[in-house]
mmCIF file of all heavy atoms in Angstrom:
data_model
loop_
_atom_site.group_PDB
_atom_site.id
_atom_site.type_symbol
_atom_site.label_atom_id
_atom_site.label_comp_id
_atom_site.label_asym_id
_atom_site.label_seq_id
_atom_site.Cartn_x
_atom_site.Cartn_y
_atom_site.Cartn_z
ATOM 1 N N LYS O 1 0.843 -1.212 -0.010
ATOM 2 C CA LYS O 1 -0.008 0.027 -0.013
ATOM 3 C C LYS O 1 0.817 1.246 -0.010
ATOM 4 O O LYS O 1 0.413 2.274 -0.523
ATOM 5 C CB LYS O 1 -0.932 0.006 1.252
ATOM 6 C CG LYS O 1 -2.135 -0.837 1.153
ATOM 7 C CD LYS O 1 -2.923 -0.914 2.355
ATOM 8 C CE LYS O 1 -3.781 0.300 2.523
ATOM 9 N NZ LYS O 1 -4.751 0.225 3.621
ATOM 10 N N ALA O 2 2.058 1.198 0.591
ATOM 11 C CA ALA O 2 2.897 2.324 0.632
ATOM 12 C C ALA O 2 3.542 2.692 -0.652
ATOM 13 O O ALA O 2 3.872 3.775 -0.935
ATOM 14 C CB ALA O 2 3.953 2.115 1.723
ATOM 15 N N ILE O 3 3.614 1.660 -1.562
ATOM 16 C CA ILE O 3 4.298 1.858 -2.847
ATOM 17 C C ILE O 3 3.275 2.101 -3.939
ATOM 18 O O ILE O 3 3.552 2.952 -4.821
ATOM 19 C CB ILE O 3 5.143 0.600 -3.188
ATOM 20 C CG1 ILE O 3 6.154 0.378 -2.080
ATOM 21 C CG2 ILE O 3 5.838 0.718 -4.456
ATOM 22 C CD1 ILE O 3 6.893 -0.915 -2.180
ATOM 23 N N TYR O 4 2.184 1.490 -3.946
ATOM 24 C CA TYR O 4 1.243 1.500 -5.091
ATOM 25 C C TYR O 4 -0.056 2.129 -4.738
ATOM 26 O O TYR O 4 -0.560 2.087 -3.507
ATOM 27 C CB TYR O 4 0.962 0.110 -5.542
ATOM 28 C CG TYR O 4 2.249 -0.642 -6.096
ATOM 29 C CD1 TYR O 4 2.794 -1.590 -5.298
ATOM 30 C CD2 TYR O 4 2.733 -0.300 -7.291
ATOM 31 C CE1 TYR O 4 4.006 -2.208 -5.803
ATOM 32 C CE2 TYR O 4 3.895 -0.924 -7.808
ATOM 33 C CZ TYR O 4 4.479 -1.898 -7.007
ATOM 34 O OH TYR O 4 5.683 -2.521 -7.452
ATOM 35 N N ASP O 5 -0.771 2.701 -5.685
ATOM 36 C CA ASP O 5 -2.026 3.287 -5.449
ATOM 37 C C ASP O 5 -3.129 2.200 -5.218
ATOM 38 O O ASP O 5 -3.998 2.410 -4.512
ATOM 39 C CB ASP O 5 -2.481 4.211 -6.687
ATOM 40 C CG ASP O 5 -1.648 5.374 -6.869
ATOM 41 O OD1 ASP O 5 -1.122 5.876 -5.832
ATOM 42 O OD2 ASP O 5 -1.471 5.815 -8.021
ATOM 43 N N MET O 6 -2.943 1.129 -5.969
ATOM 44 C CA MET O 6 -3.938 0.010 -5.908
ATOM 45 C C MET O 6 -3.220 -1.319 -6.051
ATOM 46 O O MET O 6 -2.358 -1.465 -6.918
ATOM 47 C CB MET O 6 -5.013 0.174 -7.006
ATOM 48 C CG MET O 6 -6.140 -0.728 -7.007
ATOM 49 S SD MET O 6 -7.256 -0.466 -8.315
ATOM 50 C CE MET O 6 -7.795 1.250 -8.019
ATOM 51 N N VAL O 7 -3.704 -2.303 -5.241
ATOM 52 C CA VAL O 7 -3.194 -3.680 -5.385
ATOM 53 C C VAL O 7 -4.379 -4.542 -5.569
ATOM 54 O O VAL O 7 -5.241 -4.485 -4.784
ATOM 55 C CB VAL O 7 -2.397 -4.110 -4.083
ATOM 56 C CG1 VAL O 7 -1.909 -5.520 -4.232
ATOM 57 C CG2 VAL O 7 -1.213 -3.122 -3.853
ATOM 58 N N ILE O 8 -4.366 -5.302 -6.611
ATOM 59 C CA ILE O 8 -5.484 -6.223 -6.974
ATOM 60 C C ILE O 8 -5.008 -7.666 -6.795
ATOM 61 O O ILE O 8 -3.939 -8.118 -7.277
ATOM 62 C CB ILE O 8 -6.002 -6.037 -8.415
ATOM 63 C CG1 ILE O 8 -6.599 -4.560 -8.556
ATOM 64 C CG2 ILE O 8 -7.009 -7.013 -8.668
ATOM 65 C CD1 ILE O 8 -6.909 -4.188 -9.881
ATOM 66 N N VAL O 9 -5.689 -8.446 -6.012
ATOM 67 C CA VAL O 9 -5.396 -9.857 -5.712
ATOM 68 C C VAL O 9 -6.565 -10.748 -6.264
ATOM 69 O O VAL O 9 -7.652 -10.534 -5.879
ATOM 70 C CB VAL O 9 -5.100 -10.093 -4.179
ATOM 71 C CG1 VAL O 9 -4.860 -11.461 -3.912
ATOM 72 C CG2 VAL O 9 -4.047 -9.124 -3.651
ATOM 73 N N ASP O 10 -6.165 -11.666 -7.097
ATOM 74 C CA ASP O 10 -7.166 -12.610 -7.563
ATOM 75 C C ASP O 10 -7.108 -13.836 -6.593
ATOM 76 O O ASP O 10 -6.073 -14.296 -6.276
ATOM 77 C CB ASP O 10 -6.813 -13.063 -8.961
ATOM 78 C CG ASP O 10 -7.883 -13.958 -9.597
ATOM 79 O OD1 ASP O 10 -8.984 -14.043 -9.025
ATOM 80 O OD2 ASP O 10 -7.619 -14.589 -10.647
ATOM 81 N N SER O 11 -8.255 -14.288 -6.226
ATOM 82 C CA SER O 11 -8.322 -15.368 -5.195
ATOM 83 C C SER O 11 -9.167 -16.511 -5.678
ATOM 84 O O SER O 11 -9.898 -16.349 -6.646
ATOM 85 C CB SER O 11 -8.865 -14.782 -3.933
ATOM 86 O OG SER O 11 -8.968 -15.763 -2.932
ATOM 87 N N SER O 12 -9.238 -17.567 -4.856
ATOM 88 C CA SER O 12 -10.068 -18.715 -5.133
ATOM 89 C C SER O 12 -11.551 -18.394 -4.873
ATOM 90 O O SER O 12 -11.828 -17.329 -4.231
ATOM 91 C CB SER O 12 -9.624 -19.833 -4.212
ATOM 92 O OG SER O 12 -9.684 -19.475 -2.923
ATOM 93 N N PRO O 13 -12.411 -19.158 -5.365
ATOM 94 C CA PRO O 13 -13.856 -18.970 -5.088
ATOM 95 C C PRO O 13 -14.122 -18.934 -3.508
ATOM 96 O O PRO O 13 -13.503 -19.641 -2.816
ATOM 97 C CB PRO O 13 -14.611 -20.166 -5.697
ATOM 98 C CG PRO O 13 -13.566 -20.702 -6.771
ATOM 99 C CD PRO O 13 -12.230 -20.352 -6.181
ATOM 100 N N LEU O 14 -15.079 -18.097 -3.122
ATOM 101 C CA LEU O 14 -15.272 -17.917 -1.648
ATOM 102 C C LEU O 14 -16.153 -19.048 -1.033
ATOM 103 O O LEU O 14 -15.845 -19.275 0.195
ATOM 104 C CB LEU O 14 -16.032 -16.571 -1.489
ATOM 105 C CG LEU O 14 -15.254 -15.319 -1.826
ATOM 106 C CD1 LEU O 14 -16.087 -14.129 -1.625
ATOM 107 C CD2 LEU O 14 -13.997 -15.193 -1.072
ATOM 108 N N LEU O 15 -16.973 -19.616 -1.712
ATOM 109 C CA LEU O 15 -17.831 -20.578 -1.094
ATOM 110 C C LEU O 15 -17.145 -21.941 -0.848
ATOM 111 O O LEU O 15 -17.275 -22.471 0.284
ATOM 112 C CB LEU O 15 -19.194 -20.718 -1.836
ATOM 113 C CG LEU O 15 -20.044 -19.507 -1.855
ATOM 114 C CD1 LEU O 15 -21.319 -19.735 -2.651
ATOM 115 C CD2 LEU O 15 -20.407 -18.980 -0.488
ATOM 116 N N PRO O 16 -16.502 -22.553 -1.816
ATOM 117 C CA PRO O 16 -15.985 -23.883 -1.543
ATOM 118 C C PRO O 16 -14.635 -23.841 -0.841
ATOM 119 O O PRO O 16 -14.196 -24.847 -0.218
ATOM 120 C CB PRO O 16 -15.726 -24.421 -2.932
ATOM 121 C CG PRO O 16 -15.566 -23.311 -3.873
ATOM 122 C CD PRO O 16 -16.424 -22.179 -3.256
ATOM 123 N N VAL O 17 -13.958 -22.647 -0.796
ATOM 124 C CA VAL O 17 -12.576 -22.617 -0.225
ATOM 125 C C VAL O 17 -12.585 -21.322 0.637
ATOM 126 O O VAL O 17 -13.013 -20.302 0.185
ATOM 127 C CB VAL O 17 -11.551 -22.575 -1.247
ATOM 128 C CG1 VAL O 17 -10.098 -22.539 -0.657
ATOM 129 C CG2 VAL O 17 -11.609 -23.622 -2.322
ATOM 130 N N THR O 18 -11.999 -21.416 1.823
ATOM 131 C CA THR O 18 -12.008 -20.289 2.732
ATOM 132 C C THR O 18 -10.781 -19.304 2.537
ATOM 133 O O THR O 18 -10.739 -18.228 3.120
ATOM 134 C CB THR O 18 -12.002 -20.673 4.196
ATOM 135 O OG1 THR O 18 -10.781 -21.460 4.469
ATOM 136 C CG2 THR O 18 -13.165 -21.552 4.571
ATOM 137 N N ASP O 19 -9.868 -19.652 1.636
ATOM 138 C CA ASP O 19 -8.622 -18.853 1.492
ATOM 139 C C ASP O 19 -9.010 -17.401 1.081
ATOM 140 O O ASP O 19 -8.452 -16.433 1.537
ATOM 141 C CB ASP O 19 -7.788 -19.425 0.370
ATOM 142 C CG ASP O 19 -7.259 -20.760 0.704
ATOM 143 O OD1 ASP O 19 -7.507 -21.338 1.904
ATOM 144 O OD2 ASP O 19 -6.592 -21.429 -0.113
ATOM 145 N N GLY O 20 -9.969 -17.265 0.159
ATOM 146 C CA GLY O 20 -10.435 -15.962 -0.289
ATOM 147 C C GLY O 20 -10.944 -15.095 0.850
ATOM 148 O O GLY O 20 -10.719 -13.943 0.911
ATOM 149 N N LEU O 21 -11.705 -15.719 1.691
ATOM 150 C CA LEU O 21 -12.286 -14.984 2.908
ATOM 151 C C LEU O 21 -11.198 -14.429 3.787
ATOM 152 O O LEU O 21 -11.199 -13.355 4.306
ATOM 153 C CB LEU O 21 -13.269 -15.887 3.713
ATOM 154 C CG LEU O 21 -14.490 -16.284 2.962
ATOM 155 C CD1 LEU O 21 -15.264 -17.215 3.850
ATOM 156 C CD2 LEU O 21 -15.399 -15.027 2.785
ATOM 157 N N HIS O 22 -10.126 -15.284 3.965
ATOM 158 C CA HIS O 22 -8.979 -14.845 4.810
ATOM 159 C C HIS O 22 -8.196 -13.694 4.155
ATOM 160 O O HIS O 22 -7.872 -12.759 4.822
ATOM 161 C CB HIS O 22 -8.019 -15.972 5.106
ATOM 162 C CG HIS O 22 -8.620 -17.041 5.930
ATOM 163 N ND1 HIS O 22 -8.941 -16.855 7.239
ATOM 164 C CD2 HIS O 22 -8.927 -18.350 5.637
ATOM 165 C CE1 HIS O 22 -9.528 -17.945 7.729
ATOM 166 N NE2 HIS O 22 -9.466 -18.883 6.775
ATOM 167 N N LEU O 23 -8.052 -13.740 2.819
ATOM 168 C CA LEU O 23 -7.384 -12.669 2.056
ATOM 169 C C LEU O 23 -8.265 -11.373 2.178
ATOM 170 O O LEU O 23 -7.747 -10.282 2.295
ATOM 171 C CB LEU O 23 -7.188 -13.100 0.677
ATOM 172 C CG LEU O 23 -6.041 -13.947 0.406
ATOM 173 C CD1 LEU O 23 -6.008 -14.436 -1.072
ATOM 174 C CD2 LEU O 23 -4.678 -13.260 0.709
ATOM 175 N N ALA O 24 -9.564 -11.547 1.983
ATOM 176 C CA ALA O 24 -10.476 -10.418 1.952
ATOM 177 C C ALA O 24 -10.438 -9.607 3.237
ATOM 178 O O ALA O 24 -10.602 -8.367 3.179
ATOM 179 C CB ALA O 24 -11.847 -10.977 1.656
ATOM 180 N N ARG O 25 -10.134 -10.256 4.361
ATOM 181 C CA ARG O 25 -10.181 -9.594 5.639
ATOM 182 C C ARG O 25 -8.943 -8.560 5.644
ATOM 183 O O ARG O 25 -8.983 -7.623 6.429
ATOM 184 C CB ARG O 25 -10.101 -10.516 6.727
ATOM 185 C CG ARG O 25 -11.304 -11.361 6.848
ATOM 186 C CD ARG O 25 -11.204 -12.389 7.923
ATOM 187 N NE ARG O 25 -11.220 -11.742 9.278
ATOM 188 C CZ ARG O 25 -10.866 -12.374 10.363
ATOM 189 N NH1 ARG O 25 -10.597 -13.601 10.340
ATOM 190 N NH2 ARG O 25 -10.936 -11.671 11.498
ATOM 191 N N GLN O 26 -7.954 -8.779 4.829
ATOM 192 C CA GLN O 26 -6.756 -7.905 4.791
ATOM 193 C C GLN O 26 -6.906 -6.791 3.790
ATOM 194 O O GLN O 26 -6.110 -5.941 3.680
ATOM 195 C CB GLN O 26 -5.562 -8.776 4.415
ATOM 196 C CG GLN O 26 -5.250 -9.903 5.372
ATOM 197 C CD GLN O 26 -5.125 -9.455 6.834
ATOM 198 O OE1 GLN O 26 -4.396 -8.491 7.129
ATOM 199 N NE2 GLN O 26 -5.774 -10.147 7.694
ATOM 200 N N ALA O 27 -8.010 -6.852 2.920
ATOM 201 C CA ALA O 27 -8.186 -5.917 1.920
ATOM 202 C C ALA O 27 -9.076 -4.678 2.341
ATOM 203 O O ALA O 27 -9.764 -4.800 3.276
ATOM 204 C CB ALA O 27 -8.827 -6.597 0.686
ATOM 205 N N ASP O 28 -8.911 -3.597 1.567
ATOM 206 C CA ASP O 28 -9.777 -2.440 1.839
ATOM 207 C C ASP O 28 -11.229 -2.677 1.229
ATOM 208 O O ASP O 28 -12.200 -2.037 1.709
ATOM 209 C CB ASP O 28 -9.229 -1.235 1.201
ATOM 210 C CG ASP O 28 -7.909 -0.780 1.850
ATOM 211 O OD1 ASP O 28 -7.752 -0.977 3.049
ATOM 212 O OD2 ASP O 28 -7.078 -0.274 1.189
ATOM 213 N N GLY O 29 -11.311 -3.556 0.258
ATOM 214 C CA GLY O 29 -12.651 -3.890 -0.321
ATOM 215 C C GLY O 29 -12.488 -5.032 -1.293
ATOM 216 O O GLY O 29 -11.370 -5.439 -1.620
ATOM 217 N N VAL O 30 -13.658 -5.619 -1.779
ATOM 218 C CA VAL O 30 -13.613 -6.703 -2.541
ATOM 219 C C VAL O 30 -14.625 -6.466 -3.770
ATOM 220 O O VAL O 30 -15.647 -5.964 -3.561
ATOM 221 C CB VAL O 30 -14.076 -8.057 -1.813
ATOM 222 C CG1 VAL O 30 -14.360 -9.139 -2.708
ATOM 223 C CG2 VAL O 30 -13.084 -8.318 -0.762
ATOM 224 N N VAL O 31 -14.171 -6.934 -4.884
ATOM 225 C CA VAL O 31 -15.041 -6.986 -6.123
ATOM 226 C C VAL O 31 -15.229 -8.423 -6.463
ATOM 227 O O VAL O 31 -14.325 -9.134 -6.720
ATOM 228 C CB VAL O 31 -14.372 -6.229 -7.284
ATOM 229 C CG1 VAL O 31 -15.257 -6.356 -8.562
ATOM 230 C CG2 VAL O 31 -14.113 -4.739 -6.946
ATOM 231 N N LEU O 32 -16.542 -8.734 -6.424
ATOM 232 C CA LEU O 32 -16.834 -10.187 -6.709
ATOM 233 C C LEU O 32 -16.874 -10.420 -8.187
ATOM 234 O O LEU O 32 -17.346 -9.538 -8.917
ATOM 235 C CB LEU O 32 -18.287 -10.565 -6.102
ATOM 236 C CG LEU O 32 -18.352 -10.606 -4.625
ATOM 237 C CD1 LEU O 32 -19.793 -10.817 -4.211
ATOM 238 C CD2 LEU O 32 -17.525 -11.806 -4.069
ATOM 239 N N ALA O 33 -16.328 -11.530 -8.647
ATOM 240 C CA ALA O 33 -16.444 -11.851 -10.042
ATOM 241 C C ALA O 33 -17.334 -13.095 -10.233
ATOM 242 O O ALA O 33 -17.251 -14.056 -9.432
ATOM 243 C CB ALA O 33 -15.055 -12.280 -10.557
ATOM 244 N N VAL O 34 -18.277 -12.896 -11.092
ATOM 245 C CA VAL O 34 -19.243 -14.001 -11.391
ATOM 246 C C VAL O 34 -19.177 -14.334 -12.828
ATOM 247 O O VAL O 34 -18.782 -13.554 -13.740
ATOM 248 C CB VAL O 34 -20.673 -13.653 -11.038
ATOM 249 C CG1 VAL O 34 -20.713 -13.370 -9.481
ATOM 250 C CG2 VAL O 34 -21.173 -12.484 -11.763
ATOM 251 N N LEU O 35 -19.616 -15.589 -13.220
ATOM 252 C CA LEU O 35 -19.640 -15.997 -14.592
ATOM 253 C C LEU O 35 -21.032 -16.087 -15.154
ATOM 254 O O LEU O 35 -21.879 -16.869 -14.632
ATOM 255 C CB LEU O 35 -18.866 -17.386 -14.665
ATOM 256 C CG LEU O 35 -18.715 -17.989 -16.057
ATOM 257 C CD1 LEU O 35 -17.912 -17.118 -16.929
ATOM 258 C CD2 LEU O 35 -18.044 -19.343 -15.987
ATOM 259 N N GLN O 36 -21.310 -15.440 -16.197
ATOM 260 C CA GLN O 36 -22.655 -15.411 -16.755
ATOM 261 C C GLN O 36 -23.035 -16.879 -17.158
ATOM 262 O O GLN O 36 -22.312 -17.560 -17.791
ATOM 263 C CB GLN O 36 -22.769 -14.461 -17.993
ATOM 264 C CG GLN O 36 -24.125 -14.501 -18.595
ATOM 265 C CD GLN O 36 -24.232 -13.582 -19.797
ATOM 266 O OE1 GLN O 36 -23.214 -13.197 -20.348
ATOM 267 N NE2 GLN O 36 -25.410 -13.216 -20.296
ATOM 268 N N GLY O 37 -24.297 -17.219 -16.801
ATOM 269 C CA GLY O 37 -24.780 -18.589 -17.211
ATOM 270 C C GLY O 37 -24.264 -19.655 -16.226
ATOM 271 O O GLY O 37 -24.663 -20.767 -16.335
ATOM 272 N N ARG O 38 -23.329 -19.373 -15.325
ATOM 273 C CA ARG O 38 -22.854 -20.389 -14.475
ATOM 274 C C ARG O 38 -23.109 -20.062 -12.978
ATOM 275 O O ARG O 38 -23.563 -20.880 -12.174
ATOM 276 C CB ARG O 38 -21.409 -20.503 -14.692
ATOM 277 C CG ARG O 38 -20.691 -21.511 -13.816
ATOM 278 C CD ARG O 38 -20.406 -22.837 -14.559
ATOM 279 N NE ARG O 38 -19.887 -23.757 -13.556
ATOM 280 C CZ ARG O 38 -18.796 -24.475 -13.715
ATOM 281 N NH1 ARG O 38 -18.135 -24.329 -14.798
ATOM 282 N NH2 ARG O 38 -18.465 -25.373 -12.824
ATOM 283 N N SER O 39 -22.692 -18.782 -12.612
ATOM 284 C CA SER O 39 -22.943 -18.321 -11.221
ATOM 285 C C SER O 39 -24.414 -18.112 -10.971
ATOM 286 O O SER O 39 -25.149 -17.647 -11.823
ATOM 287 C CB SER O 39 -22.176 -16.975 -10.940
ATOM 288 O OG SER O 39 -20.814 -17.135 -11.260
ATOM 289 N N ARG O 40 -24.861 -18.540 -9.850
ATOM 290 C CA ARG O 40 -26.262 -18.445 -9.475
ATOM 291 C C ARG O 40 -26.471 -17.382 -8.381
ATOM 292 O O ARG O 40 -25.663 -17.233 -7.456
ATOM 293 C CB ARG O 40 -26.843 -19.762 -8.943
ATOM 294 C CG ARG O 40 -26.766 -20.841 -10.062
ATOM 295 C CD ARG O 40 -27.805 -20.597 -11.148
ATOM 296 N NE ARG O 40 -27.682 -21.565 -12.193
ATOM 297 C CZ ARG O 40 -27.505 -21.232 -13.477
ATOM 298 N NH1 ARG O 40 -27.355 -19.979 -13.871
ATOM 299 N NH2 ARG O 40 -27.406 -22.184 -14.400
ATOM 300 N N LEU O 41 -27.576 -16.576 -8.494
ATOM 301 C CA LEU O 41 -27.810 -15.487 -7.674
ATOM 302 C C LEU O 41 -27.780 -15.893 -6.144
ATOM 303 O O LEU O 41 -27.172 -15.199 -5.314
ATOM 304 C CB LEU O 41 -29.131 -14.843 -7.975
ATOM 305 C CG LEU O 41 -29.430 -13.468 -7.308
ATOM 306 C CD1 LEU O 41 -28.292 -12.464 -7.469
ATOM 307 C CD2 LEU O 41 -30.725 -12.933 -7.826
ATOM 308 N N PRO O 42 -28.356 -17.043 -5.683
ATOM 309 C CA PRO O 42 -28.276 -17.402 -4.304
ATOM 310 C C PRO O 42 -26.837 -17.512 -3.787
ATOM 311 O O PRO O 42 -26.517 -17.123 -2.717
ATOM 312 C CB PRO O 42 -29.065 -18.713 -4.213
ATOM 313 C CG PRO O 42 -29.987 -18.610 -5.379
ATOM 314 C CD PRO O 42 -29.252 -17.950 -6.480
ATOM 315 N N GLN O 43 -25.980 -18.154 -4.627
ATOM 316 C CA GLN O 43 -24.569 -18.280 -4.204
ATOM 317 C C GLN O 43 -23.807 -17.047 -4.213
ATOM 318 O O GLN O 43 -23.014 -16.776 -3.302
ATOM 319 C CB GLN O 43 -23.877 -19.303 -5.210
ATOM 320 C CG GLN O 43 -24.314 -20.695 -4.976
ATOM 321 C CD GLN O 43 -25.654 -21.094 -5.586
ATOM 322 O OE1 GLN O 43 -26.062 -20.411 -6.510
ATOM 323 N NE2 GLN O 43 -26.233 -22.183 -5.062
ATOM 324 N N VAL O 44 -24.102 -16.056 -5.123
ATOM 325 C CA VAL O 44 -23.556 -14.738 -5.223
ATOM 326 C C VAL O 44 -23.911 -13.993 -3.876
ATOM 327 O O VAL O 44 -23.085 -13.416 -3.232
ATOM 328 C CB VAL O 44 -23.854 -13.993 -6.453
ATOM 329 C CG1 VAL O 44 -23.370 -12.551 -6.391
ATOM 330 C CG2 VAL O 44 -23.431 -14.706 -7.680
ATOM 331 N N ARG O 45 -25.196 -14.082 -3.589
ATOM 332 C CA ARG O 45 -25.630 -13.405 -2.373
ATOM 333 C C ARG O 45 -24.955 -14.028 -1.105
ATOM 334 O O ARG O 45 -24.670 -13.309 -0.241
ATOM 335 C CB ARG O 45 -27.217 -13.570 -2.230
ATOM 336 C CG ARG O 45 -27.861 -12.598 -3.167
ATOM 337 C CD ARG O 45 -29.463 -12.645 -2.968
ATOM 338 N NE ARG O 45 -30.008 -11.743 -3.854
ATOM 339 C CZ ARG O 45 -31.248 -11.894 -4.304
ATOM 340 N NH1 ARG O 45 -31.974 -12.946 -4.055
ATOM 341 N NH2 ARG O 45 -31.794 -10.958 -5.130
#
């Protein structure tokens, strides 16, 4: 954070693996990525 304006980290899916949740706790914010026709609204929620 001291060197760059923005750092983007790509992580594993949040529901089947907890790694992304642990990384997210260290971030200022999260942008969820979903796949059209595959990701379902209940899982995204």
Side-chain angles (χ1 to χ4, degrees):
K1 282 175 79 170
I3 301 170
Y4 299 101
D5 294 331
M6 186 180 303
V7 178
I8 298 173
V9 178
D10 187 15
S11 176
S12 57
L14 294 178
L15 297 181
V17 184
T18 61
D19 298 356
L21 292 172
H22 294 294
L23 283 172
R25 294 177 70 194
Q26 303 303 313
D28 293 328
V30 170
V31 175
L32 290 172
V34 299
L35 185 58
Q36 181 183 14
R38 178 104 188 232
S39 300
R40 299 289 176 236
L41 191 53
Q43 285 80 21
V44 174
R45 285 183 176 151

